[in-house]
Amino acid sequence: MIDVLIVGGGPAGITASIYAARSGLKTLLLERETFGGQIASSPKVENFPSIISISGEELVSRMLEQALEFGVSVDVENVTSVTKIDDHFEVVTDYNKYLAKSVIIATGVTHRTIDAENIEDFMGEGISYCAVCDGPFHKGHDVAVIGDGNSAMQYAISLSQYCNKVYVCTLFDKFFGEKSVEKVMRGRSNIEIVHNLQLKRVSGASELEKAEFTNLLTKEEVSLDIQGLFIAIGHVPHNEDFKDVVELDNHGYIIGNELCETLTPGIFVAGDCRQKTFRQVSTACADGTIAALSAIRYLDNKKA
């Protein structure tokens, strides 16, 4: 019987495992693909407290090393279901079945992607999904944001504070976010809005230099000379396998309270997969801490 079983090996899950294992609990951390989640692919992280600059891969490696040092068991397995049986949970993977006294779901999200020529070649070399993380590397540059929701508009506002020029490229002819945010964005003199654009290809020598679009109304080709491209067209959570034991919102995120408790006592949620406003590596770690401490308290109360 496992005390705390954690689904997802990103910063939230790893942090939760460290707290659980340090409390003397038998802890298992399962990851379906690659440990580290989205941050592992970031070439440079400069907003994680205590570390001035580090690659995402190295940051995750240090986190995982710390978890292993405290006795966390880890494995690569895809969890397909979690079922409550009496006072514990049955967790089924592609290969095994586990019994756990508590479960923390920290499956993260994946970015919605754009199918455009050469786009993968410039990921981390000018193309990013996070303006908060990578925007400061483009101080004084001309950049573009793709998207028509709140995230895209907020990215543009943030980038406008230190970038020379910010193009906001939307697929449709309007924005779908809050009017107050749109008003602020439109008030920035260095932000230019271009509607009805579909990205076709990106190019450059070793780093991004140009993005080429097609105007869906006029069919004209639009070329932007930019050094940074930020894609903000949404995220995809992967929580369907847990819908019988947790509550999902309209977008598929798990609903949890400030203690990271879910609809089912004994099941907790942490990180980007839960309903929240800000998704950063530091907020994921904070969630992992809270979820683990809540799980520890849950198990302690069951003993009492």
Side-chain angles (χ1 to χ4, degrees):
M1 179 72 73
I2 297 160
D3 292 319
V4 182
L5 189 149
I6 301 163
V7 186
I14 297 174
T15 301
S17 76
I18 292 170
Y19 271 81
R22 285 189 73 244
S23 296
L25 298 177
K26 185 175 181 181
T27 306
L28 174 62
L29 178 65
L30 299 179
E31 164 58 42
R32 66 183 179 133
E33 293 179 343
T34 304
F35 284 94
Q38 298 175 69
I39 198 65
S41 62
S42 179
K44 188 180 292 186
V45 179
E46 292 187 340
N47 56 1
F48 193 80
S50 81
I51 302 175
I52 295 174
S53 182
I54 190 173
S55 71
E57 184 178 9
E58 185 180 356
L59 178 61
V60 168
S61 178
R62 291 189 188 183
M63 289 181 176
L64 194 57
E65 182 181 0
Q66 185 178 6
L68 294 171
E69 182 69 22
F70 285 118
V72 176
S73 297
V74 302
D75 214 334
V76 178
E77 295 185 40
N78 179 44
V79 174
T80 57
S81 69
V82 176
T83 307
K84 184 172 177 59
I85 302 177
D86 297 326
D87 64 342
H88 62 272
F89 301 95
E90 180 184 73
V91 180
V92 179
T93 75
D94 290 338
Y95 310 108
N96 294 297
K97 288 183 180 179
Y98 299 96
L99 296 180
K101 297 177 183 177
S102 66
V103 175
I104 297 174
I105 301 172
T107 49
V109 296
T110 54
H111 292 286
R112 293 190 189 278
T113 58
I114 294 177
D115 184 17
E117 187 178 338
N118 303 328
I119 196 165
E120 290 299 323
D121 296 338
F122 293 93
M123 292 304 304
E125 300 296 338
I127 297 180
S128 171
Y129 289 97
C130 182
V132 177
C133 311
D134 302 324
F137 301 129
H138 293 281
K139 184 177 181 180
H141 290 175
D142 291 348
V143 302
V145 176
I146 296 179
D148 48 27
N150 275 337
S151 293
M153 293 191 292
Q154 289 166 345
Y155 277 10
I157 293 168
S158 175
L159 291 165
S160 71
Q161 298 178 63
Y162 44 79
C163 291
N164 178 57
K165 179 83 172 184
V166 181
Y167 297 96
V168 181
C169 307
T170 73
L171 188 63
F172 301 99
D173 60 357
K174 61 181 179 180
F175 291 97
F176 297 91
E178 298 173 27
K179 294 300 181 183
S180 58
V181 179
E182 182 178 346
K183 182 178 180 180
V184 173
M185 178 187 66
R186 290 185 180 277
R188 299 295 172 94
S189 60
N190 60 338
I191 292 179
E192 181 177 336
I193 298 166
V194 192
H195 290 305
N196 303 305
L197 294 187
Q198 183 174 46
L199 182 67
K200 302 301 292 185
R201 68 184 63 85
V202 292
S203 59
S206 59
E207 297 181 348
L208 180 68
E209 297 175 7
K210 181 177 293 187
E212 298 173 66
F213 300 81
T214 298
N215 186 303
L216 296 177
L217 293 183
T218 66
K219 306 304 178 183
E220 295 177 331
E221 295 295 311
V222 177
S223 179
L224 300 179
D225 294 325
I226 54 175
Q227 294 80 54
L229 178 64
F230 297 89
I231 302 172
I233 57 174
H235 299 89
V236 181
H238 303 281
N239 297 322
E240 281 298 309
D241 292 332
F242 315 113
K243 63 183 179 181
D244 293 334
V245 289
V246 300
E247 182 181 2
L248 305 181
D249 69 10
N250 293 333
H251 301 288
Y253 292 99
I254 297 173
I255 298 174
N257 62 18
E258 64 177 9
L259 297 177
C260 294
E261 297 168 325
T262 70
L263 180 69
T264 302
I267 297 183
F268 306 88
V269 61
D272 289 1
C273 68
R274 82 176 182 92
Q275 185 187 65
K276 59 193 296 187
T277 301
F278 299 110
R279 292 180 170 88
Q280 295 289 299
V281 63
S282 56
T283 62
C285 291
D287 280 356
T289 300
I290 295 168
L293 293 175
S294 293
I296 293 166
R297 186 173 68 172
Y298 167 79
L299 295 175
D300 286 342
N301 288 340
K302 285 184 65 177
K303 293 177 184 177

